[in-house]
């Protein structure tokens, strides 16, 4: 038996879209096999078919030499295939230990205390800084991701599928995960690994399979390919300019804040930006960089000495709605809870925040809403089967584009973008960078908050670096290098 798992000729159609078209994929024992492709290419759909979430329309899956067709993820799990899904599905009101135990029959026979002890040990062994008896609701996104990973590792699986496990965790945690993956490999466990970060594929994977528009493009050894080759396999063209940059003349000051304090984290932050300026905020996870946006926007209690939009002094922002009225927009980090209403369709999501545009005397003009949604879908190349598709069934990256479309529809004076390219493929990243530059070109001030240093370095005019809630300095022009940012971000002074 050459392969532990083999998918042959898999086809899957959803209303209006062929998500997978005759796709082949195979997995060797003890290998890490990366699955790559643009947003909406069909990666998550393929692994959902393998793990029993969906049934394929056509094709077969062989597992340990036998044809299988799992009726549910639990069945797949029992057979030894565990999946860490892109959309985390944990029980928010249960504890970490209970979540890890769900689906594992033997663990139900344990007493509560014993379960907590075992889980605590597992988490410690994994070097995850989480308590087994914490309620999942109280964890942040990155901690929840770690719980999902621990859950998959708790089961004695032959195959572990990881759908973008590193999208929401810190670089440090990713390193821990990669060590774990290497250990699993040594034990002969096979891993399917999905990520939009090519450098991770080169670091961790043995082979790589690329999908494009639901079609199989190819499988190759990681040692025999290059980043450029993988990109052109994914997007079907060469990307010549990753970071487009216009030169916008900076004129009037459009935004300033003095002595901002947010929650218990952010202390004494001051900065200002001019029309057309792209102002970066960098820092490690936990440095307080996203809290700056959340604080200004009124999501977290905050105080400031003075905040100005243009010439107008604003003493307090009580709600996101008020922020919008003052001309401050935000693209939030957590698109699922703050950005989108998952159960509603794409059209409603895009027009919701801009309801005045489509409403007259309490009556919604659906024709107009439809036109606006189509316009935005075209502008951001959002991959949808129709404007009526529920956003929760959009691929991860396309959900992110829907947030951008929704937020930027109401032209702001200044926009805070928090991790705007998270989970977005290489091609779509270039689109986002173009959008950011276009905003600047139109005189909007952009505060670009990101954990990805390359994009901060290439896009921003100035960069504020945060460390443990404190501003460490603002870099400008040639000073903006990854090295200088890291020095400040880790608390090492630049002379
Ligand atoms: N439940 C569903 N109902 C309708 N369409 C769906 C559903 N699930 C996925 N799709 C569509 O199938 C296509 C493939 O989506 P999939 O989630 O597999 O992409 P992906 O490669 O994982 O993308 P990403 O990198 O953005 O996560 C997309 O066009 C998506 O809109
Ligand atoms: Mg996906």
């Amino acid at each position: 038996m050459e392969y532990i798992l083999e998918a042959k000729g898999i086809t899957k159609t959803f209303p209006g879209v062929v998500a997978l078209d005759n796709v082949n994929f195979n997995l060797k024992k003890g290998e890490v096999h990366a699955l790559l492709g643009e947003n909406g290419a069909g990666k998550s759909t393929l692994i959902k078919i393998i793990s029993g979430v969906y049934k394929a329309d056509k094709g077969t899956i062989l597992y340990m030499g036998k044809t299988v067709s799992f009726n549910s993820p639990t069945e797949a799990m029992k057979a030894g295939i565990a999946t860490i899904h892109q959309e985390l599905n944990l029980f928010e009101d249960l504890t970490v230990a209970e979540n890890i135990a769900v689906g594992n029959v033997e663990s139900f026979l344990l007493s509560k205390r014993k379960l907590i002890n075992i889980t605590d040990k597992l988490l410690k062994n994994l070097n995850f800084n989480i308590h087994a008896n914490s309620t999942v609701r109280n964890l942040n996104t990155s901690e929840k991701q770690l719980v999902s990973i621990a859950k998959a590792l708790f089961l004695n699986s032959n195959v572990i599928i990881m759908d973008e496990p590193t999208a929401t965790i810190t670089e440090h945690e990713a390193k821990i995960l990669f060590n774990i993956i290497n250990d699993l490999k040594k034990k002969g466990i096979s891993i399917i690994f999905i990520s939009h970060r090519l450098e991770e594929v080169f670091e961790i994977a043995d082979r790589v399979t690329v999908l494009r528009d639901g079609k199989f493009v190819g499988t190759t050894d990681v040692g025999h390919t290059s980043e450029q080759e993988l990109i052109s396999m994914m997007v079907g063209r060469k990307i010549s300019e990753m970071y487009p940059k216009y030169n916008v003349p900076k004129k009037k000051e459009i935004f300033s804040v003095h002595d901002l304090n947010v929650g218990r984290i952010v202390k004494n932050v001051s900065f200002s930006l001019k029309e057309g300026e792209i102002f970066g905020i960098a820092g490690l996870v936990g440095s307080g960089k996203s809290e700056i946006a959340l604080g200004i926007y009124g999501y977290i209690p905050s105080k400031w000495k003075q905040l100005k939009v243009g010439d107008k002094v604003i003493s307090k922002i009580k709600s996101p709605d008020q922020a919008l009225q003052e001309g401050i927009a935000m693209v939030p980090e957590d698109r699922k809870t703050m950005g989108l209403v998952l159960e509603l369709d794409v059209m409603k999501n895009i027009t919701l925040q801009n309801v005045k545009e489509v409403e007259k005397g309490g009556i919604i003009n659906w024709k107009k809403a439809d036109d606006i949604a189509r316009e935005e879908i075209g502008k951001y190349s959002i991959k949808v089967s129709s404007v009526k598709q529920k956003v929760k069934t959009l691929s991860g990256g396309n959900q992110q584009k829907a947030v951008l479309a929704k937020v930027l529809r109401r032209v702001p004076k200044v926009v805070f973008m928090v991790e705007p390219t998270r989970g977005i493929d290489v091609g779509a990243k270039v689109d986002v960078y173009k959008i950011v530059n276009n905003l600047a070109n139109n005189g909007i001030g952009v505060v670009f908050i990101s954990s990805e240093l390359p994009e901060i370095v290439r896009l921003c005019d100035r960069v504020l670096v945060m460390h443990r809630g404190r501003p460490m300095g603002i870099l400008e022009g040639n000073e903006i290098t990854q090295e200088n940012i890291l020095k400040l971000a880790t608390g090492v002074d630049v002379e």
Side-chain angles (χ1 to χ4, degrees), residues 336-361:
K336 292 218 184 56
T337 57
M338 284 184 201
L340 298 166
V341 185
L342 294 177
E343 292 299 328
L344 294 185
D345 63 31
V346 178
M347 174 174 72
K348 291 200 178 104
N349 267 281
I350 289 177
T351 50
L352 212 62
Q353 183 164 286
N354 313 297
V355 73
K356 283 204 190 100
E357 212 181 348
V358 293
E359 175 228 67
K360 211 174 180 183

Side-chain angles (χ1 to χ4, degrees), residues 27 46-47 105 108 132 141 160 164 216 231 241 253 257 269 319-320 331 375 377 416 426 469:
L27 184 66
L46 177 61
I47 63 130
V105 183
F108 272 118
T141 319
I160 301 182
E164 298 195 34
F216 172 82
I231 290 176
E241 208 178 15
E253 185 177 290
V257 63
V269 169
S319 65
V331 177
E375 181 191 329
I377 285 165
F416 286 79
V426 272

Side-chain angles (χ1 to χ4, degrees), residues 371-383:
D371 287 346
I372 289 172
R374 277 171 212 278
E375 181 191 329
E376 295 297 328
I377 285 165
K379 198 151 93 192
Y380 292 91
S381 335
I382 306 173
K383 193 176 169 191

Side-chain angles (χ1 to χ4, degrees), residues 38-45 47-48 86-87 163-164 194 196 394-397 423:
E38 291 183 285
N39 298 130
K43 304 178 295 294
S44 297
T45 305
I47 63 130
K48 282 178 183 164
Q86 181 175 15
E87 317 305 332
D163 196 351
E164 298 195 34
I194 301 178
H196 285 294
L394 290 185
S395 82

Side-chain angles (χ1 to χ4, degrees), residues 399-417:
Q399 290 181 10
Q400 182 66 24
K401 290 191 195 173
V403 177
L404 284 168
K406 171 191 156 180
V407 171
L408 298 173
R409 173 89 199 162
R410 194 154 143 190
V411 181
K413 292 185 177 128
V414 50
V415 56
F416 286 79
M417 296 186 159

Side-chain angles (χ1 to χ4, degrees), residues 331 400 404 417-422 424 432 448-450 455:
V331 177
Q400 182 66 24
L404 284 168
M417 296 186 159
V418 190
E419 309 285 0
T421 63
R422 181 170 278 177
I424 284 210
V432 172
F448 192 87
I449 303 175
S450 167
E455 60 185 27

